[in-house]
Amino acid sequence: MRSRTPDVAPGGSAPVAPAPDARSRRITLVVNPSAGGGRGARTAAVAAARLTQRGVRVRTVSTRDAEHAAQEADVAFDRGDAAVAVGGDGMLRILAGRAVLRDDAVVGLLPAGRGNDFARFLGLPTDPVVATEALVDGIEAVFDTGLVRDATGAERTFLSIVSVGFDAEANRIANAAPGALGGLVYVWGAVGALAGLRPVPLRLTADGVERSTPVLLLAVANAGAYGGGMHMAPHASVGDGVLDVVLVPHRGRPDRCDWRDRLRILRFLPRVFRGTHVRAPHVEVSHARTLRVEADGPLVAYADGDPVGILPLEISTRPASLRMIVPATGGLRPGVDRPAGVAA
């Protein structure tokens, strides 16, 4: 894996464009009604009323499943609407997966999930009223997305992080946790994954350079946050055209983890919420445009809260591939993830 290309400016050079006048903008709200324990449906109702008051032509669709959401995204784009995800990161990922296939597609986000990590990473508003106003008054910015290709050639888009190992298992456990836990599902998942921690022997090929190593976790990041506020790749940018690769290698016995491995992860987790874990000597951070990940068994990788494929997988970046409505002023985080030209 190689260092970040030095002549890529922090934040990249993603172009921006003024949003259409509110009276000419058309929006389809693509809703996951069960997101956030019902927050999706409530957010959609508030947003639809406010958008109508602002003179925006709005259509609301309550989706049944991922396939239905993808179909409705296509319908919205065919109508000339911006498709706005009302839900969590998974819903936005579905819409983005359809948007990157066409030149005229625009997406938006009304965060209503449990984690809302992509929104928080960008600094998008999470309050439903403020987020709705940003859909009307905002501008359109272009961001990088990630692409996962499996052994069959099937491709899936991701926005934040592809994970293998400890964090993928934590994601699986969190997805199966009782909904009453709310945001604590991520803690629940981490505790469960820690109890079953094991080394994962991987073969990695980063931009043509091969390496074999057992790992405790591997995170391949377009944006840098997941798991309800964990800053796994704190320096990742959605405007620089490269992926940040965070790896925690396994240094012990090749067939098992012992108490020292669990203690290392236990000390690691609190630092992830601050993004300071990347300074630890046992954490490796590198960068690549394409990373092939292989294992001896059929391990499942997760991205944006959902299973995204079974190893072997090829993970790559798609620079400047997603056009998204963002606040015209303020809001977006300063620094590495601000597209050039977006006002501070």
Side-chain angles (χ1 to χ4, degrees), residues 30-34 61-75 77 85-86 88-99 156-157 303-308:
V30 185
V31 186
N32 177 358
S34 61
V61 179
S62 182
T63 61
R64 299 183 298 271
D65 51 32
E67 182 179 0
H68 184 210
Q71 292 170 350
E72 290 297 341
D74 286 336
V75 171
F77 299 143
V86 186
D89 294 338
M91 175 60 83
L92 181 61
R93 176 179 57 82
I94 293 168
L95 271 56
R98 305 307 301 170
R156 295 176 176 86
T157 295
D304 302 330
D306 296 313
V308 75

Side-chain angles (χ1 to χ4, degrees), residues 28-334:
T28 293
L29 302 177
V30 185
V31 186
N32 177 358
S34 61
R39 190 181 307 130
R42 295 191 297 271
T43 298
V46 170
R50 182 56 181 157
L51 289 169
T52 300
Q53 291 174 357
R54 292 290 308 273
V56 176
R57 288 173 286 180
V58 60
R59 171 175 168 263
T60 301
V61 179
S62 182
T63 61
R64 299 183 298 271
D65 51 32
E67 182 179 0
H68 184 210
Q71 292 170 350
E72 290 297 341
D74 286 336
V75 171
F77 299 143
D78 289 342
R79 288 166 47 93
D81 292 7
V84 174
V86 186
D89 294 338
M91 175 60 83
L92 181 61
R93 176 179 57 82
I94 293 168
L95 271 56
R98 305 307 301 170
V100 296
L101 302 178
R102 25 198 318 167
D103 295 330
D104 59 346
V106 179
V107 302
L109 176 62
L110 291 174
R114 292 184 295 189
N116 302 316
D117 287 294
F118 192 67
R120 294 180 190 280
F121 178 79
L122 292 180
L124 298 178
T126 56
D127 178 88
V129 175
V130 178
T132 300
E133 297 295 336
L135 292 177
V136 181
D137 302 322
I139 58 175
E140 295 170 4
V142 180
F143 298 109
D144 300 346
T145 61
L147 176 68
V148 175
R149 182 182 293 109
D150 67 18
T152 71
E155 296 182 345
R156 295 176 176 86
T157 295
F158 73 95
L159 298 174
S160 293
I161 296 175
V162 176
S163 58
V164 176
F166 169 80
D167 44 350
E169 177 64 5
N171 200 154
R172 183 192 68 79
I173 295 171
N175 284 355
L181 288 174
L184 292 176
V185 295
Y186 301 107
V187 176
W188 177 276
V191 171
L194 188 64
L197 187 67
R198 63 186 180 90
V200 180
L202 294 179
R203 293 181 297 280
L204 307 174
T205 306
D207 294 339
V209 179
E210 297 183 9
R211 173 189 182 187
S212 294
T213 182
V215 308
L216 297 179
L217 70 82
L218 171 71
V220 186
N222 177 53
Y226 66 174
M230 295 184 178
H231 296 280
M232 179 58 71
H235 303 301
S237 167
V238 289
D240 64 358
V242 296
L243 300 166
D244 284 37
V245 182
V246 180
L247 184 149
V248 178
H250 173 64
R251 304 299 190 196
R253 290 178 50 175
D255 61 334
R256 58 174 293 185
C257 290
D258 59 21
W259 65 269
R260 285 166 293 192
D261 298 303
R262 291 181 173 84
L263 182 60
R264 183 179 300 128
I265 293 294
L266 197 59
R267 289 173 172 170
F268 170 91
L269 286 175
R271 299 183 66 180
V272 175
F273 285 95
R274 301 188 300 272
T276 59
H277 63 289
V278 295
R279 299 200 294 264
H282 59 274
V283 177
E284 300 179 13
V285 181
S286 57
H287 306 91
R289 286 186 168 84
T290 300
L291 178 70
R292 182 171 175 81
V293 185
E294 302 171 271
D296 293 332
L299 291 176
V300 178
Y302 278 73
D304 302 330
D306 296 313
V308 75
I310 298 174
L311 271 55
L313 295 173
E314 184 177 276
I315 307 168
S316 58
T317 182
R318 282 188 296 207
S321 54
L322 180 67
R323 184 171 292 273
M324 188 170 179
I325 304 170
V326 300
T329 57
L332 287 183
R333 286 176 52 201

